[in-house]
Amino acid sequence: MSQTQFRPRAARQAVAALSFRTGLDPTNSQSLRTRLGQAGKSIAFLFAGVLLSGTPSWSAQADRNSPTDEQVAAAVVATERLLNQGRVGEALAIIRPVAEARPDSNQATFSMGLAALATGDAAVQRGIRPGKPPAKEHFDLAIRSFRGILVKEPDNLRVRLELARGLFSRGRCVEPPGNLIKHMLGDDCWAAEQHFLRVLGAKVPPQVIVNVRRFIQICRARKRASGTLSLALAPDSNVNTSTSAQTVDIFGLPFQLDDDARAKSGIGVVGTLTTEIQRPLPQLKWFPGAATRLRVGGLVYRREYSGGQFDDHNYGVYAGPRFLSNRGHFSALFQADTRGVNGRPYSRQYGLQFEGLRLVLPRVWAGGSVELSRQTALGTDGPIGGAGFSWNSQAFVNYTILPSLTMRFMGGSGRENTDRASTRHRSNWVGIMGTYDLPLGFSVVGAQQLFLTRFEQPLALFGPEPPNTRLWFSRLQFYNRLLQIGGFSPSISFIREDRKANLTIYSYERYRAEGGFVRVF
């Protein structure tokens, strides 16, 4: 089924199927069943009756005497019974004061989230918009409850699934986005998609996989814009990517390097802005099971240092069709960009780029891109010669080991071919990256890449052999999901580059730190 066939009614049916046919146990389900056996159903119903009568009320006595574990278990049972009967408002009235009096109980918090989510869904069915009271307050409570549990238990699959469902409902993901700027930076539907993708990385029943994939398809078909914005201070031990050696060999003789040719440290400002607009296109008969979108986007990258001689920049635009299915997407784009390195123009290019992503197995996504371009070298006085044929390719496999742990294995190769003979080269690279959500809200991202580059022309001054380099690139990033400002969390990254070469002039070490913000979901 293509994304264009989804309708609100079908989406609500998918929500119901996901909610009631998951086959997953709620938070700490084994512990819950044990306590329920001790408490007994009679205590559960008695407790429910007492709360409904209003005397005594746990919300009134929470400060003096919090509910016991047995009373919490009884309230959970009463809540589940009322939810099964469709009495969602009564269920929330029972569990909310108990959960607020016992914030340490994930059982109570989870049940409160379920009741709040069901109450919000009921309000929407009565015609209330998800973004308006009282539906919004109920969805906010549900999402806040589920996120609180995930901070402590990032591997809890059922909680992540319900959080994704709550974000999907609050975000009205079956409708076009109302606020394009918010949608571009990452709204509820974007967050819901990220959580649904992580659910696919766990052992879940086949029906859940089918429903989750439908939700992902709806979110991607809804997408009308995307973007990133980053701005960071970047202390750098080697802003000019130069060697730290004191001397180099020229014609076999050692020569002292000038200070301007050696590594320099500094503090820079790094900024990246990407934007993309997507618009629906008529469905093509060659892709009957896919929705078609027109993608138009751009990139602005700047790295600024005092003086300007070490600044870098990259400006690019692209446009083309995108084909979406329930297993992935494929794009064919025309792209063009211009680059500058160390404060000087470096190159400009235009060409075609093909990229795609596909779900291979429930836990495995595979994708990649191929870029074919006409590239022209630039100097301070303009173009250097004519355009040459350059290409670049990469492939990756994402493997979700746990809902909280994702690994990416990647590699690629390419060639830069221009009339600037000194920069013509071939390169190959491999890498691995992991993202891990830790307890207490912390997340860590680590990456290690190896780049092998072989230049095609020797440098006569330094010997008969062309330069060959081996670059190790390491990155470690930390942030805390509890610390959020408008959905963004402050982050700190540490970066190390270590390049070895057969020519001393090409070898260097570089250490950087970047502080900024990342979008969290």
Side-chain angles (χ1 to χ4, degrees), residues 180-327:
L180 201 61
I181 298 299
K182 182 179 179 181
H183 176 65
M184 184 178 295
L185 295 178
D187 57 6
D188 283 343
C189 300
W190 171 83
E193 180 185 347
Q194 307 309 308
H195 287 291
F196 280 130
L197 286 170
R198 294 197 176 199
V199 169
L200 288 179
K203 293 182 178 180
V204 294
Q207 183 59 38
V208 177
I209 294 176
V210 172
N211 284 325
V212 167
R213 282 171 53 187
R214 291 176 66 192
F215 275 90
I216 294 172
Q217 185 183 19
I218 294 172
C219 292
R220 289 180 173 172
R222 176 187 183 267
K223 190 179 291 294
R224 295 293 183 271
S226 62
T228 62
L229 173 63
S230 65
L231 185 65
L233 289 175
D236 195 324
S237 69
N238 192 349
V239 299
N240 53 340
T241 60
S242 296
T243 181
S244 57
Q246 299 285 340
T247 62
V248 295
D249 289 341
I250 300 178
F251 298 118
L253 300 175
F255 284 82
Q256 185 79 24
L257 274 177
D258 186 87
D259 287 342
D260 291 337
R262 299 177 60 225
K264 293 182 177 295
S265 61
I267 298 178
V269 177
V270 181
T272 303
L273 172 65
T274 65
T275 60
E276 180 180 302
I277 303 296
Q278 296 189 27
R279 287 293 180 266
L281 293 175
Q283 195 172 42
L284 300 179
K285 62 180 180 180
W286 302 285
F287 299 94
T292 308
R293 299 286 184 267
L294 173 64
R295 298 175 60 191
V296 179
L299 161 73
V300 175
Y301 168 81
R302 295 286 303 185
R303 181 181 292 272
E304 300 278 355
Y305 293 97
S306 176
Q309 68 268 37
F310 305 123
D311 297 348
D312 294 347
H313 74 261
N314 190 11
Y315 310 130
V317 294
Y318 60 86
R322 184 183 201 183
F323 307 97
L324 290 153
S325 73
N326 64 349
R327 296 189 69 89

Side-chain angles (χ1 to χ4, degrees), residues 404-478:
S404 61
L405 176 59
T406 301
M407 301 298 297
R408 170 175 285 199
F409 305 91
M410 48 196 172
S413 62
R415 185 191 183 198
E416 179 181 306
N417 180 28
T418 68
D419 283 345
R420 183 196 287 123
S422 61
T423 62
R424 286 203 295 261
H425 67 269
R426 296 177 180 269
S427 63
N428 298 281
W429 64 275
V430 293
I432 184 172
M433 181 174 70
T435 302
Y436 191 25
D437 290 340
L438 301 169
L440 303 179
F442 288 97
S443 292
V444 59
V445 180
Q448 180 68 69
Q449 294 172 268
L450 173 62
F451 296 84
L452 302 175
T453 302
R454 182 179 182 85
F455 289 85
E456 299 181 4
Q457 296 292 327
L459 298 180
L461 287 177
F462 301 100
E465 293 294 324
N468 294 321
T469 67
R470 183 179 70 251
L471 171 66
W472 286 97
F473 178 92
S474 308
R475 183 185 186 98
L476 194 61
Q477 180 182 27
F478 298 93

Side-chain angles (χ1 to χ4, degrees), residues 47 86 276 301 339 407 488-489:
F47 186 76
E276 180 180 302
Y301 168 81
R339 293 177 57 198
M407 301 298 297
F488 291 85
S489 177

